[in-house]
Amino acid sequence: MHIYVLLKQTFDTEEKIVIENGAVSDDGVKFVINPYDEYAVEEALQQRDSHGGKVTVLSVGPGRSAEALRQALAMGADEAVLISDERIAADEGAAAAALEAFLSSQPFDLLLGGNFSVDSGGGQVAVRLASRLGIPHAASITSLEISGSGAVVKRDAEGDTETLELSLPALFTAQQGLNEPRYPSLPNIMKAKKKPFQTLTLDDLGLAEAPPLTERVSIALPPERGAGQILKGAPAEQAAKLVELLRTEAKAI
Amino acid sequence: MSNPILVIAEVRGGKLRQVSLEALQAARIAAGENAEISSVIIGSGITALAGELAGYTGGKVYAVDHPDLASYNAPAYLQAVKGIVLELQPNRVFLGHTAEGRDLAPQIAALIGAGQISDVIAIEPGEQYKRPIYAGKAFEEKRFLSSSGVVTVRPNNIPPASAADSPGEVVDREYAPPGDLRSIVRDVVRKAGGKVDLAEAKIVISGGRGVKSADGFRPLEELADVLGAAVGASRGACDAGYCDYALQIGQTGKVVTPEVYIACGISGAIQHLAGMSQSRVIIAVNKDPEAPIFKVADYGIVGDLFEVVPLLTAEFRKVLA
């Protein structure tokens, strides 16, 4: 079974956002595998280990994304492919087009990705890609069982749990709770350095361009939230005061 | 912008979802008050709901009513809207940024080669769509470069549409199940009855490591019952196994923007603050007066949540009785 994992490198979620010259500054920022994609990597490794086959991690992004792919190789993935080209704009449609161009010439049984990325958070690329490739998908899965040419998944839909049956090849996006991602061991970190790693441009994919369908016009930080008031008195008095303030001052209840 | 505009409405629990009226309002803001807005409603036994929707849109409501469409299934729902979308070639398509909308929108965008702007919270002049990035640590405004565009609207941010001057016309559309359904829904287990959905809740009561155990959520649930609120949690509480990940609020997990957010025993890690700091009124209950959560709270109570929360429950019960 050949499994591809769609992976994006993102800011660590504990990073603060600084805007410089109309863009998010990545100066000194710690980068990680998008947390939802990490579940996808782990799931791919577990599926490979029970069914055999190969896991390729695949990313569209700037050169620094190589570090996230190396991390996934150190977790146990077999091969990595980075599609990196300045002509691919920061737009989900463009990313999906580049991924499609690559995957349409590859044999695969399973595509796994994250439910959404914690940076741009559009949650579109994976489903768009499945549509473009003409394969079934299920988003936000919390369990995956493969048997023969089919898969049974549980999917989280706003608290409801749906059980779906799909035929392979198919694409799934991971929700929290799917598994517990492993940490790379030192020997695996060393081994990762020798694993196949391909870097491709649009030319390699036979694409003249991957035009953006949307663009950012402006970016801003949210207004600072001033600290409010700490209520005083015995607990019962604080509770009564809070309820009163919520009704009279905040007019929220 | 030239017509047509399409809103895809959503049915949940036998009701038209509030976010669908918000998506309709977003369409009106984007296209202008006088634009004719068509809509689609998909489900099983939805005649009354289609009529209700028409009362708001004033435009054509395409109703796709079939037993196979009783609950969301990706290929079936795409099949239900496909003919309408291809026939109308809409300039814009609006949906709610819900489990269903998030899944259906990229399929429609791929179908018509449209750009998509997800999780929109406001529409600014010049048809610029405002949306959070990094879960609300920053905000961007985006516009479409493609001729057609798909928009998903975050619940609770754009006011719902008001009734139209005169109701629109309901047009029934046949549903032809796709011959080769490569994805079927075997079973749906609804979450515990009567619980308020986190994303749409007006009030959210949230617990962190300070709740100490799964049982520790009980006082929060009691308060939530009194207020008709939803219960959420921090990553700390989820990682510790006190609750299901479905409750997690933060940069991983859900982003919520309720009227009132009550954080109980949550210290306020950056990744949690990203998920809730756009709430209108924030209340923090924490033993540690130095907890970062107090820096964003409008009202803070320094104290033990197990003492304070039941007192709040009693107090709200008194005034709401």
Side-chain angles (χ1 to χ4, degrees):
Chain A
M1 186 161 67
H2 200 158
I3 308 171
Y4 279 90
V5 181
L6 314 173
L7 182 155
K8 186 179 185 184
Q9 188 191 41
T10 60
F11 281 32
D12 187 285
T13 55
E14 284 305 317
E15 290 289 346
K16 282 197 171 140
I17 299 302
V18 176
I19 293 176
E20 257 177 25
N21 305 323
V24 175
S25 164
D26 58 8
D27 200 23
V29 162
K30 183 187 173 201
F31 285 98
V32 296
I33 298 174
N34 176 47
Y36 290 94
D37 301 350
E38 214 177 348
Y39 296 111
V41 173
E42 176 62 36
E43 193 61 28
L45 300 178
Q46 291 185 16
Q47 295 295 343
R48 176 201 61 192
D49 292 346
S50 22
H51 301 281
K54 185 166 83 166
V55 173
T56 303
V57 284
L58 171 62
S59 189
V60 177
R64 59 168 162 74
S65 311
E67 197 188 325
L69 290 169
R70 291 263 176 231
Q71 172 88 0
L73 291 174
M75 286 170 74
D78 301 291
E79 293 182 11
V81 177
L82 172 60
I83 302 171
S84 194
D85 195 315
E86 284 180 354
R87 290 172 289 173
I88 305 172
D91 170 71
E92 293 88 349
L99 289 167
E100 183 202 7
F102 175 73
L103 286 166
S104 54
S105 65
Q106 307 292 321
F108 62 84
D109 305 285
L110 197 57
L111 298 181
L112 289 166
N115 188 16
F116 62 89
S117 65
V118 299
D119 49 8
S120 55
Q124 306 172 23
V125 175
V127 177
R128 217 180 229 282
L129 176 65
S131 289
R132 293 183 66 129
L133 290 169
I135 59 170
H137 77 274
S140 192
I141 63 163
T142 54
S143 88
L144 169 62
E145 278 173 48
I146 306 272
S147 55
S149 62
V152 174
V153 300
K154 285 197 180 359
R155 146 179 150 79
D156 164 50
E158 297 176 34
D160 293 349
T161 304
E162 300 175 0
T163 306
L164 283 81
E165 203 178 314
L166 297 92
S167 61
L168 298 182
L171 176 146
F172 302 105
T173 70
Q175 171 66 305
Q176 280 180 300
L178 177 61
N179 52 46
E180 195 59 53
R182 69 193 67 185
Y183 290 100
S185 65
L186 192 59
N188 280 338
I189 293 171
M190 301 311 289
K191 270 190 228 160
K193 292 178 181 160
K194 295 191 182 118
K195 288 179 177 171
F197 195 116
Q198 246 189 307
T199 305
L200 304 175
T201 64
L202 284 186
D203 301 324
D204 298 321
L205 302 178
L207 280 184
E209 53 171 9
L213 305 173
T214 64
E215 74 173 357
R216 177 186 287 166
V217 185
S218 66
I219 181 170
L221 293 177
E224 286 257 351
R225 242 193 133 98
Q229 45 178 314
I230 301 289
L231 304 178
K232 304 230 167 3
E237 291 164 9
Q238 290 175 318
K241 183 74 183 160
L242 176 63
V243 173
E244 186 202 319
L245 285 168
L246 279 177
R247 289 162 63 85
T248 55
E249 190 178 85
K251 299 194 192 314
I253 305 274
Chain B
M1 189 201 297
S2 62
N3 280 345
I5 307 294
L6 189 62
V7 173
I8 299 181
E10 188 175 335
V11 177
R12 188 168 166 93
K15 287 190 185 131
L16 184 62
R17 276 188 91 154
Q18 158 98 2
V19 70
S20 298
L21 299 181
E22 296 167 5
L24 171 60
Q25 182 64 15
R28 282 196 183 143
I29 297 169
E33 276 296 318
N34 298 322
E36 178 155 331
I37 296 169
S38 299
S39 58
V40 181
I41 186 165
I42 306 162
S44 175
I46 51 166
T47 309
L49 296 178
E52 185 188 340
L53 180 61
Y56 289 101
T57 66
K60 263 188 192 146
V61 172
Y62 296 92
V64 192
D65 197 333
H66 192 278
D68 288 0
L69 301 170
S71 64
Y72 181 76
N73 171 252
Y77 270 49
L78 182 67
Q79 173 80 359
V81 297
K82 198 174 186 174
I84 299 163
V85 169
L86 291 177
E87 179 184 312
L88 296 183
Q89 288 290 327
N91 196 314
R92 295 286 180 269
V93 181
F94 290 84
L95 306 93
H97 193 70
T98 57
E100 179 179 319
R102 285 200 305 267
D103 205 62
L104 194 51
Q107 296 183 67
I108 293 171
L111 177 70
I112 56 174
Q116 183 184 328
I117 303 179
S118 308
D119 205 13
V120 166
I121 59 165
I123 297 158
E124 306 294 349
E127 213 204 344
Q128 291 180 190
Y129 294 89
K130 186 175 181 182
R131 61 184 301 275
I133 51 175
Y134 300 91
K137 289 176 184 172
F139 291 84
E140 64 173 359
E141 287 184 20
K142 292 193 87 173
R143 68 183 182 99
F144 287 109
L145 298 172
S146 52
S147 58
S148 50
V150 176
V151 177
T152 63
V153 171
R154 174 183 292 196
N156 267 353
N157 283 269
I158 293 167
S162 46
D165 296 336
S166 59
E169 175 199 357
V170 176
V171 181
D172 289 314
R173 293 291 290 237
E174 290 290 319
Y175 171 72
D180 165 33
L181 204 56
R182 287 171 301 165
S183 162
I184 55 167
V185 179
R186 262 206 204 155
D187 177 44
V188 181
V189 178
R190 303 278 174 210
K191 70 179 154 194
K195 294 283 185 213
V196 182
D197 186 71
L198 255 184
E200 285 185 291
K202 298 281 180 218
I203 305 177
V204 173
I205 323 274
S206 206
R209 277 194 192 276
V211 301
K212 292 191 184 119
S213 67
D215 280 347
F217 270 96
R218 210 158 285 159
L220 278 57
E221 283 157 8
E222 281 167 20
L223 177 57
D225 282 345
V226 170
L227 291 173
V231 172
S234 72
R235 183 165 76 187
C238 296
D239 283 349
Y242 303 163
C243 61
D244 195 86
Y245 280 114
L247 301 191
Q248 185 171 323
I249 291 166
Q251 197 169 355
T252 43
K254 296 189 171 67
V255 175
V256 296
T257 46
E259 279 285 293
V260 180
Y261 187 86
I262 308 182
C264 308
I266 292 178
S267 63
I270 288 174
Q271 86 96 21
H272 183 74
L273 298 182
M276 47 63 77
S277 58
Q278 301 303 310
S279 306
R280 188 166 83 79
V281 180
I282 297 172
I283 296 154
V285 180
N286 201 296
K287 274 203 267 196
D288 175 9
E290 301 299 321
I293 189 80
F294 286 119
K295 291 203 173 71
V296 300
D298 299 283
Y299 304 110
I301 294 179
V302 178
D304 182 353
L305 74 94
F306 293 105
E307 185 178 7
V308 174
V309 172
L311 287 167
L312 285 174
T313 306
E315 203 61 41
F316 278 118
R317 208 172 256 143
K318 253 193 267 172
V319 299
L320 296 175

